[in-house]
Amino acid sequence: MNKRNRAQASSLFLLELTMAILFFSIASAVCVQIFVKSRAMSLHAEELNAAVREVSSAAEIVRASKSRAEAEEMIRSFYRDAVIWTEMAGGSSTEPMSEYVSRADFTVYYDEEFRLFTGENAGASADPAYRLQISLAEADGMLTAELAFWDDTAAADAAIYEQSAAHYMGGDR
């Protein structure tokens, strides 16, 4: 009879140990998921903060200008060392815009650490990770800008942050 109690006691101990291991396994899996989600949220917040900062800076450049030509010049001087691609009606160029073009699009590139992409700071990657697109348009004395910050490494084709800016420059009424 002593052997039977010992067998029951050891099987109960084994069952209790198994339940404890199962509980701690589930708890650790939940904790790992929480840490992974936290890291992803932190990276997204960092990306969003950088996007808001860069888009707001570009919007202030547009708001501070007195004409579209001055806005273009200010954008070029502010992003002097950056790789800038300029598109206009009828083609693409890196030269200043013509006074007769009513719309100008600038694309400023950034590396994975949100520094201006100059080609020299590209590191191991020869491709930029982010881009800021600035679309300037002028009509009836109003300078408008559509600004968007994109993640070129993400699979989704959606801007991280978008903003519009408008500035009345005066004109004939």
Side-chain angles (χ1 to χ4, degrees), residues 87-104:
E87 296 180 13
M88 61 185 139
S92 298
S93 171
T94 56
E95 297 300 316
M97 299 289 151
S98 162
E99 289 298 320
Y100 304 106
V101 176
S102 62
R103 183 174 179 88

Side-chain angles (χ1 to χ4, degrees), residues 2-165:
N2 197 9
K3 286 186 177 188
R4 185 182 253 186
N5 279 342
R6 211 181 281 166
Q8 284 179 343
S10 64
S11 66
L12 284 176
F13 177 72
L14 184 59
L15 181 62
E16 184 182 344
L17 186 61
T18 304
M19 294 300 266
I21 290 172
L22 180 64
F23 172 75
F24 284 115
S25 297
I26 291 170
S28 66
V30 169
C31 287
V32 166
Q33 286 179 345
I34 290 171
F35 286 130
V36 168
K37 181 76 172 172
S38 172
R39 174 72 174 146
M41 288 174 62
S42 173
L43 291 175
H44 178 70
E46 180 183 342
E47 203 172 61
L48 183 59
N49 284 336
V52 169
R53 181 183 63 241
E54 296 302 327
V55 168
S56 297
S57 294
E60 288 303 317
I61 290 172
V62 172
R63 288 186 190 110
S65 62
K66 295 184 177 112
S67 67
R68 194 198 75 224
E70 184 180 351
E72 291 173 15
E73 184 58 36
M74 289 172 74
I75 289 170
R76 287 183 182 281
S77 66
F78 188 78
Y79 298 109
R80 179 184 0 232
D81 296 331
V83 175
I84 300 177
W85 185 252
T86 306
E87 296 180 13
M88 61 185 139
S92 298
S93 171
T94 56
E95 297 300 316
M97 299 289 151
S98 162
E99 289 298 320
Y100 304 106
V101 176
S102 62
R103 183 174 179 88
D105 294 331
F106 294 90
T107 304
V108 181
Y109 296 98
Y110 295 84
D111 67 6
E112 58 277 345
E113 295 177 7
F114 305 106
R115 296 178 303 199
L116 290 175
F117 187 81
T118 61
E120 297 171 6
N121 65 344
S125 172
D127 296 328
Y130 300 97
R131 73 180 187 272
L132 169 64
Q133 290 183 309
I134 306 167
S135 297
L136 296 175
E138 181 181 358
D140 300 326
M142 183 71 99
L143 178 64
T144 59
E146 297 295 324
L147 304 112
F149 198 84
W150 299 80
D151 182 357
D152 287 344
T153 61
D157 193 29
I160 297 171
Y161 184 73
E162 295 178 285
Q163 181 180 345
S164 297

